[in-house]
Amino acid sequence: MVINIALFVVTVAAMEGVAYLMHRYLMHGPLWFLHKSHHVRDRGRFELNDLFGVFFAIPSIILIYLGTHGLPLLLPIGLGMTAYGAIYFGFHDVIVHRRLSHRLRPQGRYLQRIIKAHHIHHATREKDGAVSFGFIYAPPIHRLTGQSD
């Protein structure tokens, strides 16, 4: 049980690194043709960028399946990937971009920093020039904006 919990927690944390690398080097690189739909102001209910959610779900589904069919250590990894996806959706799509209507006004320095960093990321509408590619971690705002303390 301890190993499963550790694998789950490590996977959730590691997914931030995977998401950062994917966002920085693929989404703002060769897969920009899909991701740019997320950087335009007038987007509809769905955007091409949403296909990344499907893409990222496939490995977690496979790991969960294999984890329940003879390879039990893969289950907490698949569940950790799924948990990261749920955190991403709740934070990024619901809280930051308000793709679902709500009245939440996030408080606290951590949430305010993450939200502001994401808005700074969206200050560019182009493939290049963006900063802050993480989703649950962001450097201090003064580092993103080039301002001193």
Side-chain angles (χ1 to χ4, degrees):
M1 179 65 100
V2 172
I3 291 172
N4 286 342
I5 292 170
L7 281 172
F8 174 84
V9 171
V10 167
T11 300
V12 172
M15 284 305 298
E16 176 68 358
V18 170
Y20 175 93
L21 293 171
M22 293 289 294
H23 189 191
R24 172 75 176 91
Y25 296 106
L26 293 177
M27 296 165 102
H28 279 259
L31 299 178
W32 176 252
F33 71 98
L34 294 172
H35 185 59
K36 71 179 173 183
S37 67
H38 184 61
H39 280 263
V40 298
R41 288 198 189 276
D42 298 322
R43 51 184 177 253
R45 188 83 170 138
F46 295 100
E47 50 196 59
L48 283 175
N49 187 68
D50 293 335
L51 292 174
F52 287 112
V54 175
F55 171 73
F56 286 130
I58 292 169
S60 59
I61 291 168
I62 291 169
L63 289 170
I64 290 169
Y65 175 82
L66 293 173
T68 58
H69 289 83
L71 299 169
L73 289 179
L74 296 181
L75 181 60
I77 296 170
L79 292 174
M81 291 173 73
T82 301
Y84 183 85
I87 292 166
Y88 167 86
F89 175 77
F91 173 73
H92 180 265
D93 287 345
V94 177
I95 292 175
V96 175
H97 289 293
R98 297 188 170 274
R99 292 182 71 183
L100 297 177
S101 182
H102 63 83
R103 292 184 175 162
L104 294 174
R105 296 284 179 227
Q107 302 298 312
R109 289 182 3 198
Y110 166 75
L111 284 176
Q112 290 300 316
R113 185 176 90 200
I114 299 293
I115 291 167
K116 185 164 185 150
H118 199 75
H119 289 303
I120 291 170
H121 173 79
H122 277 271
T124 179
R125 305 280 179 237
E126 302 300 323
K127 176 175 150 178
D128 300 319
V131 296
S132 188
F133 295 92
F135 294 109
I136 59 175
Y137 170 78
I141 299 305
H142 70 270
R143 283 189 30 213
L144 296 175
T145 60
Q147 300 171 359
S148 62
D149 286 327

